[in-house]
Amino acid sequence: MQKNILIIGTTSAIAKATLRLYAEQNHNLFLVARNESLLQTVAKDAKIRGANQVESYACDLADLSCHASLLENITLSYPKLDIVLIAHGTLPNQKECETSVQNTLQEININAISTISLLTLLANLFEKQKSGSIAVITSVAGDRGRQSNYVYGAAKGMVSTFLQGLRNRLNDSDLQVLDIKPGFVDTPMTADFKKGPLWAKPEQIAHSILKAIDKKRNTLYTPWFWWGIMLIIRNIPEFIFKKLKL
Amino acid sequence: MKLSGWGRYPITKTQTTYATQPGLVASSIEAEKTTQIARGLGRSYGDSSLAEHSINLSKMDDFISFNEINGQLTCAAGVSFAEILRVFVPKGWFLPVTPGTQFITVGGAIASDVHGKNHHIEGTFCEQVSSLKLCLASGEEVECSKVHHPHLFRATCGGMGLTGIILQATFTLKPIESAYIKETTIKTTNLAETLAKFEEHASATYSVAWIDCLATGKQLGRSLLMLGEHASPQKTEQTQQKPPFQDSQTAKTSKFNMPFDLPSFTLNSFTVKAFNALYYGKVRQTQSERLVHYAPFFYPLDSIQNWNRMYGKNGFVQYQFVIPKSAGLKGLTEILTEIANSKRGSFLAVLKVFGKANDNYLSFPEEGYTLALDFKMDNTLLAFLDKLDEIVLHYHGKLYLTKDARMSEQMFKQSYPQWQEFQKIRYQYDAQTCFNSLQSKRLGL
Ligand SMILES: Cc1cc2nc3c(=O)[nH]c(=O)nc-3n(C[C@H](O)[C@H](O)[C@H](O)COP(=O)(O)OP(=O)(O)OC[C@H]3O[C@@H](n4cnc5c(N)ncnc54)[C@H](O)[C@@H]3O)c2cc1C
Ligand SMILES: NC(=O)c1ccc[n+]([C@@H]2O[C@H](COP(=O)([O-])OP(=O)(O)OC[C@H]3O[C@@H](n4cnc5c(N)ncnc54)[C@H](OP(=O)(O)O)[C@@H]3O)[C@@H](O)[C@H]2O)c1
C-alpha cells in the first residue's frame, strides 16, 4: 500500500538516505528543506527512484512563523499522513556558544524549538487521524550533558523529553512516536571529525530507521551498540562524570 | 588523512573535501589551487586519484533525469555503478559498459574511459556518454560533448581528472529482459587455443578469459574463457524459477569482508589454489553452460569486501597492458613466460580482446590483447615491472593509466603519442595550474 510520507530537513544526509528507500518502495513523499535548488534535486532523484508522487516545499525552519502555512500546504497535498520524519539540525560550535548568548539561543532554536513547534502542530493532526508514525532524529548526545557539546545535547535532550510526553499522551490512539538517537554518522555535519570504527554511514542509519518505524519501536539507538555505550554513560555517577574530559 | 588507491601503493597524506553539490565544487577548486584532483570511490589502483588535496565526489550522487522510453540517464558524477544497477535493473535496464567492479563512480568511469567485457562490440564507457558537465579551473561549468567543446570532451574522457571536475553526465542504459546472464565457460589448454577461441566467439556479447599464469611450457596460457549473453525471462524461469529481476544479490554483494591485512606469506598458496580450485579444477567439461545472476558474472571480486587487503600491508600493483593484435601470440608468450619464470603469483590474470580504439587522447583500449595481473609489492617488484615495460614497448603496447602506480615518464610519452595534444587542451583551459595528481607529475604532464 502506498503511504504518504513527510520528510522535514530533506537535504540532510540521513534524511536523504531514508527517503530514497521510501521512494524505491513507490510511496508518496512531501519534502521540506530550506535550500530550494538542492530540494528540487532531491525531489527529482526520488521520482526517478520510483516515488509515486513527490511534493516539495522550501522554508527556513528556524523561522517559526512559516510552520503553520507549511502544515496547510502539506494537508492540501496529503489529507492523511502515514509517516513523518523530522531530521533537520545543526551542530553548534560549543566554544562559540559559551561566549555568545545569541549563538546559544539560535542553536537551541533550530535544534529544539523549531522541532517542538512542528511537533505540536503535527501531533494534533496525527491525533485526529488516530494512526501513523512520528519519527524524530535527536541524538545520543541528548542522553547526558558533556562539556564538549552540551548546548547541542541540551537541545536534543529537550526534544527527547518532549517526545516521551507525546508518546504517553498519544498512547490510546494507534500512534507511534519514535525517538531516533544516532551515534557518530559520517555526514556533512561531521565532515571535520576524524573517523574511526564507531562511525556509521547514513545508509546504514536509514535502514535502521525504516525497520524501527515498521516495528513500531519507541526509541532507536543506531547503530545498535550505542544502546550499550549510552547505558554505561548514563549510569556513571555524577561525582565521577563531572571530572571526565568528555 | 592518509589516502591510497585500491592497490594501497603508494600511500600519501591528503586533505579531503567532500563536494556534496555542484556549487561547492567551484568553491573548493578556488580554495585549493595547484595540486588537487577529483576522487570517486578510489578503485583506481595506483596514484591517479592522489594529490595534496582531494575533492571527493562520491557523495554528490543524485539521479537528475531518466527517459523511460529510450533509457537515457543523466546523473551526478558521484553516482556509483552499484546504485545505478540497484535502482534500474528492477526496471529492466542495465549499464551499457561496466568494468569488473560495480563500486566505481560515473565520474571515475569517464575519467578512466573504462571498458568492460563487451569492449569488442560496444567500445568504452565514454563512447556511451552523449554529454557531460565539467567544472574548469576557473570555476566555470561547461557542457561538453562531441559537438560542444569536442576537444575538451576528448581530453576529459580518459583524462584521469586532469582537465577539471566532472559534475554530471548523460548516457544511455540498455534494456534487458532479466537480471541473469547465460554464461558459457570454455576450458582451453594453451595460449594459441585461447586466442583462437576468442576469435571464434567474436560475436559473443561478453567475453573474458582467466589465465593460469603459473602454467608453463605446453600449457602456457591455459585459460577459462567466459562468454555471456543477457538471458531472456523464459530461460530464467525454466531453469531456476527465479523472478526475472530479482536483485537480492546486488544489495548483499558483500557477504565476506577482509577486515584486516592478511600476512603477506598467505598470498602465494591462496592465489594458486584460487585459480585452480575455483576457476580451473572446478570445470570438468571443456565447455559448460549455466545461468548466473549478473553480480557474480560481472563482479566476482565484489563479494569479498576489501579483498585488496589480501596482499598485506605493503600493497600491490596491478599491471595491465595492451599489445596490438599483430603482436598477439608472440608478445603474450614472451610476457607470460617472463612472469611464470619470475614465480610471482598473480591472483588475477585476466585476458581480453579489445575492439577498435576511440579518439580520446589518453584512452587505453586499442585493437589487440589486454592482460591484467596483480603483483604483491616487494623490493624487487619495481625492477621486474620495468623489465616487463621493455617487452610491452617492444611490441608497441602501453599500460592502463588507471592501474598504473610506477611507469616512467619516458614509457608514458612513448606509448601515448597523443599526450601533447592532451597537454595543449589542458593549457588552453588552464587545467595544469590546478588539477595535478601524483601520477600526472610522475608522467611529466
Ligand atoms: C576489482 C576491480 C576491477 C576493475 N575492472 C576494470 C575493468 O574491467 N575495466 C576497466 O576499465 N577498469 C577496471 N577497474 C578500474 C576502475 O574501473 C577505474 O579505476 C575507475 O576509474 C574507478 O572509478 P572510481 O570512481 O573509483 O575513481 P577513482 O579511483 O577515485 O579515480 C580514478 C580517476 O578518475 C578521476 N575522477 C574520479 N571522479 C572524477 C570526477 N568526478 N571528475 C573528474 N575526474 C574524476 C580521478 O581523478 C582519477 O584520476 C577495476 C577496478 C577494480 C578495483
Ligand atoms: N551526523 C551525526 O553524527 C549525527 C549524530 C546524531 C544525530 N544527528 C542528527 O541527525 C540529523 C541529520 O543530520 P545529518 O547528520 O544528516 O547532517 P546534515 O547532512 O548536515 O543535515 C542537517 C540538515 O539540517 C538542515 N537545516 C539546518 N538548519 C536548518 C534550517 N534553519 N531550516 C531548514 N533546514 C535546516 C540542513 O539544511 P542545509 O542543507 O540547507 O544546510 C541539513 O539538510 C540532525 O538532526 C542531527 O542533529 C547527526
Side-chain angles (χ1 to χ4, degrees):
Chain A
M1 199 196 67
Q2 266 156 3
K3 292 181 177 154
N4 298 333
I5 299 171
L6 167 64
I7 310 280
I8 296 179
T10 294
T11 52
S12 116
I14 297 175
K16 206 165 100 168
T18 310
L19 74 89
R20 282 179 170 180
L21 296 176
Y22 281 130
E24 282 154 22
Q25 297 174 359
N26 311 119
H27 296 302
N28 301 319
L29 301 175
F30 194 105
L31 308 178
V32 183
R34 63 175 163 186
N35 180 331
E36 175 116 44
S37 79
L38 213 50
L39 178 62
Q40 288 320 316
T41 306
V42 179
K44 266 192 246 163
D45 175 78
K47 191 85 182 130
I48 294 169
R49 281 168 197 271
N52 182 53
Q53 184 184 341
V54 183
E55 303 295 335
S56 63
Y57 189 89
C59 69
D60 185 339
L61 297 164
D63 175 11
L64 307 182
S65 67
C66 75
H67 291 188
S69 60
L70 166 64
L71 260 282
E72 269 169 36
N73 268 281
I74 295 166
T75 42
L76 271 180
S77 301
Y78 302 127
K80 180 176 183 294
L81 283 178
D82 297 287
I83 298 169
V84 50
L85 174 70
I86 302 183
H88 69 282
T90 54
L91 189 62
N93 180 326
Q94 173 65 31
K95 278 275 165 277
E96 270 171 31
C97 287
E98 285 165 21
T99 55
S100 159
V101 174
Q102 200 199 338
N103 273 7
T104 302
L105 295 183
Q106 211 175 316
E107 295 296 348
I108 289 180
N109 183 50
I110 191 62
N111 285 303
I113 310 288
S114 74
T115 303
I116 285 173
S117 158
L118 290 164
L119 281 172
T120 304
L121 299 171
L122 285 164
N124 296 337
L125 200 93
F126 273 75
E127 193 173 31
K128 265 193 236 130
Q129 294 182 177
K130 293 199 166 49
S131 71
S133 303
I134 297 175
V136 183
I137 306 184
T138 63
S139 170
V140 293
D143 276 16
R144 197 154 188 183
R146 292 169 300 125
Q147 59 176 319
S148 58
N149 75 344
Y150 61 83
V151 172
Y152 179 71
K156 292 293 191 186
M158 168 149 53
V159 176
S160 288
T161 308
F162 188 93
L163 290 171
Q164 267 174 9
L166 192 61
R167 186 181 301 119
N168 190 208
R169 166 183 153 202
L170 299 176
N171 189 43
D172 287 342
S173 355
D174 185 20
L175 277 171
Q176 177 192 19
V177 177
L178 172 65
D179 186 354
I180 301 158
K181 299 186 176 192
F184 299 141
V185 193
D186 183 1
T187 72
M189 183 177 276
T190 51
D192 299 334
F193 289 61
K194 204 171 163 236
K195 310 291 184 307
L198 288 181
W199 287 77
K201 296 268 169 234
E203 291 74 22
Q204 216 177 321
I205 305 296
H207 278 285
S208 71
I209 293 177
L210 252 70
K211 212 164 129 195
I213 290 178
D214 242 22
K215 297 214 156 129
K216 302 262 179 236
R217 300 264 303 272
N218 298 318
T219 309
L220 170 69
Y221 283 92
T222 176
W224 59 271
F225 53 77
W226 283 96
W227 179 83
I229 296 177
M230 295 321 293
L231 183 71
I232 296 168
I233 300 261
R234 281 196 311 273
N235 285 296
I236 299 174
E238 187 63 18
F239 74 89
I240 296 175
F241 197 80
K242 72 175 184 186
K243 293 179 197 153
L244 301 179
K245 294 255 176 301
L246 285 170
Chain B
M1 185 171 95
K2 291 220 168 112
L3 203 64
S4 73
W6 189 243
R8 307 174 83 214
Y9 170 86
I11 299 175
T12 186
K13 252 179 101 170
T14 303
Q15 217 194 344
T16 298
T17 307
Y18 283 90
T20 47
Q21 38 176 305
L24 296 180
V25 173
S27 53
S28 14
I29 291 177
E30 177 62 30
E32 287 316 315
K33 290 292 177 204
T34 66
T35 42
Q36 52 187 314
I37 199 77
R39 183 162 165 113
L41 284 168
R43 256 43 178 208
S44 56
Y45 282 74
D47 51 3
S48 352
S49 69
L50 302 181
E52 264 167 47
H53 195 92
S54 148
I55 301 187
N56 190 304
L57 278 297
S58 66
K59 293 186 178 171
M60 198 169 94
D61 61 351
D62 296 286
F63 294 119
I64 295 166
S65 71
F66 182 63
N67 182 327
E68 288 176 17
I69 295 159
N70 64 13
Q72 194 176 68
L73 175 68
T74 301
C75 66
V79 169
S80 72
F81 276 23
E83 194 65 3
I84 294 176
L85 293 169
R86 204 176 62 74
V87 171
F88 288 98
V89 165
K91 301 184 201 290
W93 300 94
F94 202 75
L95 289 161
V97 165
T98 175
T101 174
Q102 52 181 326
F103 301 124
I104 69 161
T105 63
V106 168
I110 294 173
S112 301
D113 199 5
V114 301
H115 58 268
K117 298 178 181 180
N118 57 352
H119 183 270
H120 57 292
I121 292 179
E122 302 283 354
T124 64
F125 183 73
C126 290
E127 288 167 57
Q128 325 298 322
V129 173
S130 51
S131 72
L132 59 85
K133 202 189 264 179
L134 188 71
C135 188
L136 302 173
S138 62
E140 186 194 345
E141 294 178 10
V142 290
E143 191 80 34
C144 43
S145 65
K146 287 221 157 83
V147 184
H148 297 108
H149 304 283
H151 296 293
L152 185 58
F153 184 69
R154 283 172 60 192
T156 302
C157 294
M160 305 313 290
L162 298 171
T163 58
I165 311 264
I166 301 162
L167 300 176
Q168 66 175 57
T170 301
F171 49 95
T172 303
L173 300 180
K174 78 178 194 189
I176 48 169
E177 293 178 14
S178 84
Y180 289 82
I181 300 287
K182 189 175 83 111
E183 179 192 72
T184 306
T185 305
I186 299 168
K187 196 168 164 173
T188 67
T189 50
N190 59 42
L191 188 60
E193 191 191 350
T194 307
L195 301 188
K197 287 285 177 196
F198 263 116
E199 267 334 293
E200 191 182 312
H201 295 280
S203 64
T205 307
Y206 300 107
S207 62
V208 70
W210 294 73
I211 290 201
D212 178 358
C213 270
L214 301 182
T216 51
K218 273 197 191 133
Q219 295 185 324
L220 186 87
R222 70 173 185 177
S223 306
L224 292 179
L225 174 63
M226 323 275 231
L227 309 172
E229 301 295 335
H230 288 281
S232 60
Q234 297 91 311
K235 182 96 196 166
T236 59
E237 271 156 33
Q238 277 163 19
T239 36
Q240 326 212 321
Q241 293 170 338
K242 284 180 182 159
F245 290 119
Q246 191 188 38
D247 171 60
S248 57
Q249 265 158 301
T250 35
K252 293 188 193 132
T253 32
S254 305
K255 271 171 270 180
F256 309 102
N257 194 348
M258 190 88 61
F260 33 72
D261 303 339
L262 284 188
S264 359
F265 63 79
T266 54
L267 175 68
N268 279 320
S269 55
F270 196 95
T271 307
V272 180
K273 278 191 199 129
F275 184 87
N276 286 337
L278 277 169
Y279 294 99
Y280 204 82
K282 189 179 77 174
V283 184
R284 305 228 172 270
Q285 313 96 309
T286 40
Q287 180 158 344
S288 59
E289 240 183 55
R290 61 175 188 152
L291 202 61
V292 288
H293 190 267
Y294 73 80
F297 179 78
F298 288 103
Y299 315 114
L301 285 171
D302 284 354
S303 59
I304 310 168
Q305 234 179 51
N306 300 328
W307 62 262
N308 53 340
R309 292 185 166 177
M310 191 175 72
Y311 289 91
K313 70 173 188 320
N314 296 333
F316 67 107
V317 170
Q318 181 163 97
Y319 191 81
Q320 182 171 3
F321 65 87
V322 57
I323 54 171
K325 253 203 174 133
S326 52
L329 188 58
K330 191 152 170 277
L332 286 174
T333 304
E334 194 173 333
I335 293 172
L336 283 171
T337 309
E338 189 73 38
I339 292 165
N341 289 344
S342 80
K343 304 237 163 24
R344 291 169 190 273
S346 178
F347 175 63
L348 252 187
V350 183
L351 177 69
K352 177 129 194 80
V353 180
F354 277 152
K356 293 234 174 319
N358 59 35
D359 58 6
N360 301 329
Y361 301 114
L362 298 189
S363 190
F364 171 66
E366 61 181 56
E367 200 156 22
Y369 299 103
T370 182
L371 188 67
L373 310 124
D374 289 352
F375 294 104
K376 188 165 80 71
M377 193 63 197
D378 63 34
N379 45 22
T380 58
L381 179 66
L382 295 177
F384 172 71
L385 295 180
D386 286 342
K387 219 156 75 184
L388 291 188
D389 284 359
E390 279 169 33
I391 310 177
V392 170
L393 262 189
H394 173 77
Y395 288 102
H396 306 288
K398 64 178 171 199
L399 303 183
Y400 193 3
L401 293 174
T402 208
K403 310 282 175 86
D404 163 56
R406 34 67 52 192
M407 95 166 108
S408 68
E409 175 175 348
Q410 189 218 346
M411 166 92 183
F412 166 69
K413 290 186 172 171
Q414 212 170 324
S415 55
Y416 280 85
Q418 297 196 73
W419 73 269
Q420 277 157 315
E421 277 100 320
F422 176 74
Q423 196 66 337
K424 225 163 54 201
I425 303 295
R426 282 183 81 213
Y427 274 83
Q428 188 182 332
Y429 291 93
D430 256 355
Q432 86 291 350
T433 61
C434 184
F435 304 110
N436 296 286
S437 59
L438 293 191
Q439 181 179 50
S440 72
K441 288 186 175 167
R442 175 166 50 77
L443 300 180
L445 283 173

